[in-house]
Amino acid sequence: MDARLGIDIGGSGIKGAPVDLVSGALAADRCRIPTPQPALVEPVSRILGRIVGSFSGVTGPIGCAFPGIVISDRIYSAANLDGSWIGVDAGARFSEACGRPVVMINDADAAGLAEARFGAAAGRSGVVLVLTLGTGIGSALLHDGRLVPNTELGHLELGGEVIEKRASNRARKVQKLSFGEWTERLNEVLAHLDRLLSPDLVVIGGGISKRFDTFGPHLRSRADLVPAALRNNAGIVGAALRAAESEAAQPTRANRR
Ligand code: BGC
């Protein structure tokens, strides 16, 4: 089986598992370790090393999803993690901690890639918008299956307020919103994003998507709107896809000549 290790760094847990690159299924039970608080670079790197060590049979580069802007493996924002990540070459730090190449990707982008390849957006052309509703709101924008990275739509402002502060799943919990109140806020967000991007399909992801039956019927969208298929594993699966992509992009000895 062709598998790569995917790791997803979240505000409360760091999860990893080998992913079968053909089916997108996890090839072993995932390992989850609570995110250290504060989530500083050194302790998080050590946890990555532990996760990689527990799947020592899985070869190749490792993909790692991170909840912030990622450009060429370096971190440019960390709204829901420690600010000391900004400017860090996470790919280099993690590669050192794991003794293996680690490539980075934004967590929502990873979810988007995974949903487009194996999940709710598989086989869909046109503009696909994946929103992950969790501590923040992550976004992935794809056109005909190709990702536009780091869109960060959860940081748009609507009515003078940052969207993710108003309509994330954390906002629902902290502000003790009923599902009805929360879905109304989500409807405002969906209408705004529709005006800006005119997606053909919107995929609603994040842990709360398992309760889509409760709130999904109250969402209004011009575009098709569906729950994510890979739920909370989408970050892990997309990170493994990113690892496989990075290998394919490596010049081989033959075409370097
Ligand atoms: C971050 C995004 C991330 C999202 C979900 C936001 O606060 O800025 O990069 O994708 O949270 O974790």
Side-chain angles (χ1 to χ4, degrees):
M1 186 194 12
D2 203 10
R4 289 291 171 270
L5 193 57
I7 297 178
D8 188 8
I9 299 179
S12 58
I14 302 178
K15 303 168 289 187
V19 176
D20 178 339
L21 296 174
V22 176
S23 67
L26 301 194
D29 285 346
R30 68 182 200 182
C31 163
R32 182 186 187 279
I33 298 177
T35 307
Q37 305 296 340
L40 302 175
V41 180
E42 269 318 305
V44 168
S45 305
R46 279 197 296 274
I47 288 177
L48 251 82
R50 274 171 62 193
I51 294 179
V52 172
S54 66
F55 295 110
S56 54
V58 187
T59 57
I62 294 150
C64 179
F66 185 90
I69 298 171
V70 176
I71 303 172
S72 302
D73 297 325
R74 195 179 286 277
I75 306 306
Y76 285 83
S77 76
N80 295 308
L81 223 58
D82 197 80
S84 60
W85 283 93
I86 296 170
V88 171
D89 184 343
R93 295 293 286 267
F94 292 161
S95 300
E96 200 179 305
C98 300
R100 299 250 299 273
V102 178
V103 289
M104 304 297 298
I105 182 170
N106 168 265
D107 58 356
D109 284 344
L113 284 184
E115 291 294 336
R117 179 78 65 87
F118 302 113
R124 291 289 300 240
S125 55
V127 176
V128 173
L129 175 64
V130 179
L131 296 175
T132 62
L133 308 176
T135 307
I137 294 184
S139 61
L141 187 68
L142 299 109
H143 181 244
D144 288 347
R146 281 185 70 91
L147 179 75
V148 181
N150 294 309
T151 42
E152 294 287 331
L153 299 174
H155 290 273
L156 279 174
E157 285 185 25
L158 186 57
E161 215 180 341
V162 173
I163 282 177
E164 75 170 13
K165 297 266 179 279
R166 192 172 154 73
S168 64
N169 192 39
R170 173 157 73 186
R172 179 184 68 83
K173 290 194 265 189
V174 170
Q175 298 175 37
K176 298 193 171 53
L177 302 174
S178 68
F179 270 101
E181 289 166 325
W182 183 57
T183 46
E184 273 319 303
R185 291 186 178 193
L186 284 175
N187 280 331
E188 291 165 13
V189 171
L190 289 172
H192 190 55
L193 295 179
D194 189 59
R195 276 193 294 275
L196 298 178
L197 300 166
S198 300
D200 297 294
L201 173 69
V202 178
V203 178
I204 300 292
I208 193 67
S209 61
K210 62 175 177 282
R211 299 197 58 187
F212 192 82
D213 285 353
T214 311
F215 67 92
H218 306 292
L219 291 177
R220 291 186 298 276
S221 170
R222 181 201 50 80
D224 295 343
L225 183 125
V226 294
L230 299 167
R231 304 263 163 83
N232 253 353
N233 288 335
I236 296 177
V237 175
L241 287 175
R242 167 82 186 92
E245 242 176 36
S246 78
E247 264 178 309
Q250 285 287 322
T252 62
R253 214 175 266 244
N255 65 24
R256 257 202 310 258
R257 264 189 230 129

